Amino acid sequence: MNGTFIRLWPQTASHYASQVDTLVATFTGIMLLFVLPAVVCLIVFTFRYRQGNAVERQQRSQDNHLLEITWIVLPFLASMVLFALSARLFFEAHTPPADALEIQVTGKQWMWKFQHPEGQRELNVLHVPAGRPVLLNMISEDAIHSFYLPALRLKQDVLPGRYTQLWFQADKVGSYQAFCAEFCGTDHSTMLATLEVQTPTEHVRWLASAGSESSMAAQGSVLFRQLGCSGCHSPSAAVRAPRLEGLYGRPVPLADGNITIADDGYLRDSILLPQKQVAAGYAPIMPTFSNLIDEEGVQRLIAYIKSLANTDPTDD
Ligand code: CUA
């Protein structure tokens, strides 16, 4: 199934994609097993029992427990096979490996923007290495979009105000088409991107040539100073604000008594909607930065805060 016979079947660029194809084939096969005999009987009986045909039309009462049990148990077992196959794929698709290469994606009317951890940025083209898990952390600047990679059999909605994730491991080097799969306005159909799967060496060379002097975290640290965040969130600050060292991934007690985890979503909301979840013990005085930075800027700030995850707030 490599898509060479017409283009009825999309290209297959990952192991996951071929597993999805197997599931579809198994599903279709099992359905045919039930549908075909029914259709054949329907056609045969249409002719056999047509009006005027001299056949016996007397109804015989049947009482066959074995038959009843068989046609309950067999379809049940078949559906359990489908359930097991699809549940396994579902969990695989929703469990990104911890060592995945994380790339930030921003959907915007009508383009796709990508940011690599080493700081490289791309528009409507995404370069990834083959044979390595890649995790896309995605958000929208405006409407709901959907990032769709047919060659990987993956699709995920990209929402405003909330991060969604998609992970894959492309095994075959090549260029693959990505689409926006959610109607998002006038130019929805032109909201395309290309996934360039490279060999690891090619990818390293590409990263070096793609022009970035500093990592996302370093860019975030510059932004942190430019926006004046350091004025409050630093040990020497006059204003008492939560320290950001050692914060990422840890539990945060909130003023309303709840506890949340300092993940990407919490940090984003704290920057853009600071009154939503106020950290316990602090006055709700942080202003919103929603009119000063875009989602890409927020992603860089989060990368910076993430880089402080293993530092100690007490040593300065
Ligand atoms: Cu973005 Cu459709």
Side-chain angles (χ1 to χ4, degrees):
M1 291 185 190
N2 51 18
T4 42
F5 69 100
I6 331 173
R7 259 297 155 80
L8 282 178
W9 211 267
Q11 292 164 288
T12 307
S14 67
H15 177 59
Y16 175 82
S18 28
Q19 284 180 300
V20 171
D21 291 354
T22 309
L23 177 66
V24 171
T26 313
F27 197 98
T28 312
I30 292 178
M31 290 308 126
L32 283 179
L33 221 58
F34 290 104
V35 170
L36 274 186
V39 170
V40 169
C41 288
L42 180 78
I43 295 169
V44 169
F45 292 169
T46 307
F47 288 98
R48 191 162 169 205
Y49 294 98
R50 71 186 185 277
Q51 202 178 18
N53 214 19
V55 281
E56 208 218 317
R57 291 169 204 273
Q58 220 68 328
Q59 274 191 15
R60 274 168 292 144
S61 77
Q62 282 194 356
D63 200 2
N64 190 335
H65 284 292
L66 187 65
L67 190 66
E68 299 279 349
I69 290 169
T70 311
W71 71 38
I72 290 170
V73 169
L74 281 187
F76 173 73
L77 291 180
S79 60
M80 282 299 110
V81 170
L82 286 181
F83 172 74
L85 282 175
S86 30
R88 210 191 47 158
L89 278 182
F90 179 87
F91 285 115
E92 186 181 328
H94 288 81
T95 331
D99 62 341
L101 170 69
E102 196 176 326
I103 294 174
Q104 307 297 323
V105 181
T106 310
K108 191 180 172 190
Q109 285 168 328
W110 288 275
M111 62 191 85
W112 294 105
K113 302 198 266 187
F114 305 99
Q115 290 191 99
H116 294 260
E118 295 310 312
Q120 295 82 356
R121 296 165 70 188
E122 315 187 65
L123 184 66
N124 297 335
V125 183
L126 173 59
H127 288 82
V128 296
R132 173 149 186 216
V134 174
L135 175 65
L136 304 182
N137 192 37
M138 313 192 288
I139 198 159
S140 164
E141 289 273 6
D142 36 51
I144 298 177
H145 304 279
S146 184
F147 197 61
Y148 177 34
L149 290 158
L152 300 171
R153 312 288 188 270
L154 286 170
K155 181 166 70 175
Q156 172 62 53
D157 277 6
V158 178
L159 310 171
R162 202 180 112 189
Y163 290 113
T164 53
Q165 297 188 322
L166 181 71
W167 88 271
F168 60 85
Q169 179 173 322
D171 300 314
K172 261 175 47 193
V173 171
S175 285
Y176 305 98
Q177 183 73 60
F179 297 90
C180 177
E182 180 73 43
F183 182 67
C184 55
T186 319
D187 284 332
H188 156 70
S189 61
T190 63
M191 193 168 162
L192 306 168
T194 310
L195 177 73
E196 293 286 351
V197 179
Q198 307 175 293
T199 64
T201 10
E202 266 173 11
H203 188 66
V204 169
R205 212 174 305 143
W206 177 83
L207 283 174
S209 69
S212 171
E213 298 90 59
S214 55
S215 69
M216 261 188 86
Q219 294 172 22
S221 125
V222 172
L223 203 52
F224 190 76
R225 262 152 272 275
Q226 277 172 358
L227 292 168
C229 314
S230 48
C232 297
H233 294 277
S234 77
S236 49
V239 181
R240 217 171 76 82
R243 298 295 306 278
L244 306 176
E245 291 84 355
L247 170 69
Y248 188 85
R250 306 261 153 75
V252 180
L254 300 175
D256 63 8
N258 289 320
I259 291 180
T260 190
I261 297 291
D263 57 6
D264 292 42
Y266 168 75
L267 294 177
R268 177 195 174 274
D269 286 356
S270 301
I271 298 166
L272 300 180
L273 310 161
Q275 309 304 321
K276 192 176 154 193
Q277 291 176 307
V278 177
Y282 293 92
I285 50 167
M286 165 139 168
T288 174
F289 284 78
S290 59
N291 46 356
L292 294 173
I293 39 170
D294 58 8
E295 294 291 351
E296 286 189 290
V298 174
Q299 287 163 345
R300 290 197 276 277
L301 281 178
I302 293 174
Y304 170 61
I305 296 171
K306 221 169 176 172
S307 74
L308 304 175
N310 295 318
T311 52
D312 191 342
T314 52
D315 53 57
D316 277 289

